[in-house]
Amino acid sequence: MKHPKKIKVGISIGDLNGIGSEIVLKTFDDSRMLDFCTPVIFASTKIITFLKKRYKLAINFQGVDSAEHAIDGKVNIVNVWKESVTINFGEEDPKVGEYAFKSLEAATEALKKDEIDALVTAPINKHTIQSDKFNFPGHTDYLAQQLNGESLMFMITDNLKVGLFTDHVALKDIASVITPELIKKKIAIIQHTLRQDFRIQKPKIAVLGINPHSGDNGVIGKEDEEILKPTLNEIRESGELVFGPFSADSFFGSKNYKNFDAVIASYHDQGLIPFKTLSFGNGVNFTAGLSKVRTSPDHGTAFEIAGTNSADINSFKEAVFKAIDIFKCREEYKKLTENPLKKQGKKI
């Protein structure tokens, strides 16, 4: 019996002064993970050897020239650089930020060339990674440019999925950014990803209001009455199950979110504060709307505990599993939609 080829999961190492390397190596220190995928870490064998000793791990790995040469049943390290890197855990260092970008850039190129099937990114420091090549608020925008897609930050667990109309946008700019065109585009992305990546054929989506109490009929801001509500009504008229806007302050506490397949928040903290409160440590950041699968843990570099050998790996491990699951769902969806049954002609 021929066994299916294992999914090749590429991993960017993130900021080496943070907890990214720890959670990556501890995840694959468990050899059972190799039953689910073939990991390909973009870094250097020299730095991985140092980190293995630092965290007293038994992980076995092999260096490879490219992801193409990765071997199933092994932890593979693509040597993106050969020189030594000075690590000072917990410190912001633009030089270390350069290596975070080198890892991400190489992993993204491998993803574009189909040398890996999915990408899982360890946390970066958004300040130290900035350069002429990386001038973005975070991974999501960079990957959208590289993969020519309309990206959407989608925070997911098995029981809760939260998308955003706006992600890394200053609070003072939110109202001007949310337009009917943006609302329609983001809702369409979430509808498609729920069907394609999560096998939900008729998704039911809740939308949170822009202003407190969704504007209280225009008393607290007019954006909900003049922009959000008319646009949602227009979408509903097309037959889609989109509901709201709901007042954000009571939506999660009342457990109303359990009645929907996904929730769309108007801005970053409106969605991520309740999401992380309900699921921290098990949540995953999935970039919806792209031609390739990318996930990451739901936390940052955690400089305050970096190097102490105390980081929780659960969210990163979940990110790996979700990347595998989503890739499989997407492949299944392609088969179902690209090869429709031909209609039989009438017999005479």
Side-chain angles (χ1 to χ4, degrees):
M1 179 179 176
K2 187 178 179 181
H3 294 283
K5 186 179 178 182
K6 283 200 180 94
I7 292 171
K8 205 181 287 186
V9 177
I11 297 149
S12 59
I13 201 66
D15 192 293
L16 291 165
N17 283 350
I19 64 168
S21 59
E22 179 184 344
I23 59 177
V24 170
L25 295 186
K26 283 185 175 179
T27 294
F28 293 105
D29 192 44
D30 183 348
S31 61
R32 293 174 298 179
M33 291 296 293
L34 302 180
D35 294 335
F36 300 100
C37 68
T38 298
V40 185
I41 302 170
F42 292 81
S44 80
T45 52
K46 187 178 290 186
I47 200 71
I48 298 301
T49 298
F50 166 78
L51 294 164
K52 173 183 174 178
K53 292 177 181 177
R54 170 81 185 199
Y55 296 118
K56 299 177 181 178
L57 302 175
I59 184 173
N60 292 315
F61 59 87
Q62 64 173 26
V64 292
D65 293 330
S66 72
E68 279 185 301
H69 300 132
I71 298 174
D72 288 348
K74 302 284 186 181
V75 176
N76 300 272
I77 312 295
V78 174
N79 281 291
V80 181
W81 65 84
K82 294 181 180 179
E83 66 272 18
S84 298
V85 181
T86 301
I87 296 178
N88 294 299
F89 291 108
E91 294 184 11
E92 288 197 2
D93 184 347
K95 191 66 180 176
V96 170
E98 290 177 17
Y99 288 99
F101 176 69
K102 286 181 179 181
S103 174
L104 175 61
E105 182 180 41
T108 303
E109 282 302 309
L111 187 66
K112 288 159 70 172
K113 295 175 181 176
D114 292 322
E115 294 176 358
I116 55 176
D117 298 311
L119 172 62
V120 182
T121 59
I124 57 173
N125 180 291
K126 293 181 177 65
H127 174 63
T128 61
I129 199 174
Q130 296 298 319
S131 68
D132 291 339
K133 291 185 177 181
F134 190 98
N135 186 20
F136 303 91
H139 283 110
T140 303
D141 302 275
Y142 172 76
L143 291 167
Q145 185 200 68
Q146 290 296 310
L147 299 171
N148 298 316
E150 291 285 355
S151 64
L152 180 139
M153 184 185 290
F154 203 31
M155 307 300 293
I156 60 173
T157 66
D158 289 337
N159 302 314
L160 176 61
K161 295 175 178 62
V162 178
L164 306 172
F165 283 140
T166 64
D167 42 47
H168 296 127
V169 176
L171 196 58
K172 65 181 177 63
D173 299 325
I174 297 297
S176 62
V177 170
I178 298 178
T179 63
E181 293 74 24
L182 179 79
I183 294 165
K184 291 175 184 177
K185 181 172 70 176
K186 296 294 186 180
I187 289 177
I189 291 172
I190 287 187
Q191 287 169 329
H192 180 65
T193 201
L194 289 172
R195 293 182 177 114
Q196 172 187 252
D197 301 327
F198 298 96
R199 299 190 182 100
I200 301 171
Q201 295 306 310
K202 192 68 176 175
K204 187 178 178 184
I205 298 171
V207 177
L208 304 183
I210 300 169
N211 294 298
H213 308 296
S214 298
D216 264 344
N217 295 314
V219 176
I220 311 173
K222 299 186 182 301
E223 291 82 7
D224 293 277
E225 290 294 321
E226 296 178 357
I227 298 172
L228 193 52
K229 288 182 181 179
T231 307
L232 295 183
N233 285 335
E234 187 179 337
I235 294 171
R236 278 192 287 269
E237 286 172 3
S238 70
E240 298 292 350
L241 301 179
V242 179
F243 301 87
F246 295 96
S247 181
D249 62 344
S250 59
F251 184 81
F252 292 93
S254 66
K255 295 183 171 53
N256 196 11
Y257 68 90
K258 293 185 176 182
N259 297 317
F260 300 91
D261 297 306
V263 180
I264 305 181
S266 289
Y267 54 92
H268 186 279
D269 286 9
Q270 186 191 61
L272 267 64
I273 289 175
F275 178 85
K276 291 188 177 184
T277 300
L278 291 167
S279 63
F280 196 78
N282 295 302
V284 171
N285 179 4
F286 166 50
T287 306
L290 300 182
S291 59
K292 304 290 184 180
V293 176
R294 176 261 174 167
T295 63
S296 72
D298 67 355
H299 57 73
T301 53
F303 278 166
E304 66 278 8
I305 62 166
T308 63
N309 208 8
S310 60
D312 188 333
I313 69 170
N314 283 341
S315 183
F316 184 83
K317 185 180 284 189
E318 280 297 312
V320 173
F321 284 135
K322 284 289 186 288
I324 295 168
D325 290 344
I326 291 168
F327 180 81
K328 288 179 178 177
C329 284
R330 194 169 287 193
E331 289 297 293
E332 180 182 295
Y333 182 84
K334 285 179 185 176
K335 289 178 182 178
L336 291 172
T337 56
E338 289 178 0
N339 299 300
L341 292 173
K342 293 181 179 179
K343 292 182 180 180
Q344 299 294 320
K346 291 183 180 180
K347 292 183 178 179
I348 298 174

